[in-house]
Amino acid sequence: MDLHEQLKDIKTQLRLSMNGAVSQSMREKGLVYKLNFGVELPRIKMIAEGYEKDHSLAQALWKEDIRECKILAGMLQPIDSFFPEIADIWVESIQNIEIAELTSMNLFQHLPYAPAKSFQWIADEREYIQTCGFLTIARLLMKKGDMNERTANEFLDQAVCAFLTGSYHVRNAVMAAIRRFMQHSEEHAFRVCRRVEEMEHAETEIEQLLYNLVRYEVE
């Protein structure tokens, strides 16, 4: 099949698998898409397995303003042709937490330049770019687990700042990354505790929240 036929075939499979109740539930939870078939993730993965990874197909799917197409794009995009400039274009177009989480898991964490790119993203003030950066770092820490001294300091500086000033989704992504960092070693856990210890009696609720979340991880 050519690209046009592949897209048509995928959309047909999505329509046949649509679930209006799931779609409605997502809308009620704030996950808004131009078009959402409500297809559940296991079924989307089954559809993806019917196709070879293909750059042109993945790019075409990403351009569709359809939930399932964007998820499939992250699954079908080959790593070797996904250049840093394209990664920036994709991440700048992400508008909700579901696509941020799934694209970070299915694609961003596997990129050879993911460590450098994720640190570039966490320094960005835009909500979902920051979110993708911390989600990708969390995934990298799950696989690799360690950072050198300078990188760890930069990570903790950015993480604390983003938690204190960021949105709900940014804070959740930050804590996912901090949690993985702390789980690597007692030394890492100690470093995070030292970073937040003075927040125990802070005047702001957000600082106390960070302190309590870190304390919970230690306990």
Side-chain angles (χ1 to χ4, degrees), residues 69-106:
C69 288
K70 288 194 179 294
I71 295 172
L72 282 165
M75 295 176 174
L76 294 174
Q77 173 63 51
I79 300 301
D80 57 359
S81 58
F82 196 72
F83 303 123
E85 314 84 73
I86 305 176
D88 286 333
I89 292 171
W90 277 37
V91 80
E92 287 172 8
S93 69
I94 291 176
Q95 298 296 322
N96 70 53
I97 190 60
E98 183 185 30
I99 299 302
E101 290 176 342
L102 292 175
T103 311
S104 297
M105 177 178 69
N106 294 325

Side-chain angles (χ1 to χ4, degrees), residues 129-148:
I129 296 180
Q130 260 195 339
T131 299
C132 285
F134 283 110
L135 289 173
T136 301
I137 288 174
R139 291 280 171 181
L140 293 172
L141 286 167
M142 286 174 65
K143 294 192 295 184
K144 185 180 178 184
D146 202 8
M147 295 178 178
N148 62 41

Side-chain angles (χ1 to χ4, degrees), residues 139-197:
R139 291 280 171 181
L140 293 172
L141 286 167
M142 286 174 65
K143 294 192 295 184
K144 185 180 178 184
D146 202 8
M147 295 178 178
N148 62 41
E149 183 82 10
R150 180 179 176 184
T151 303
N153 285 334
E154 181 182 351
F155 162 67
L156 290 176
D157 286 345
Q158 294 279 10
V160 171
C161 180
F163 188 94
L164 298 180
T165 62
S167 68
Y168 172 79
H169 293 311
V170 170
R171 292 199 301 272
N172 283 345
V174 168
M175 277 311 302
I178 288 178
R179 189 174 299 117
R180 296 301 178 187
F181 181 81
M182 293 176 69
Q183 289 171 352
H184 178 259
S185 67
E186 289 187 6
E187 179 187 351
H188 281 191
F190 178 73
R191 291 181 67 168
V192 176
C193 290
R194 287 294 303 273
R195 187 64 66 102
V196 304
E197 62 184 356

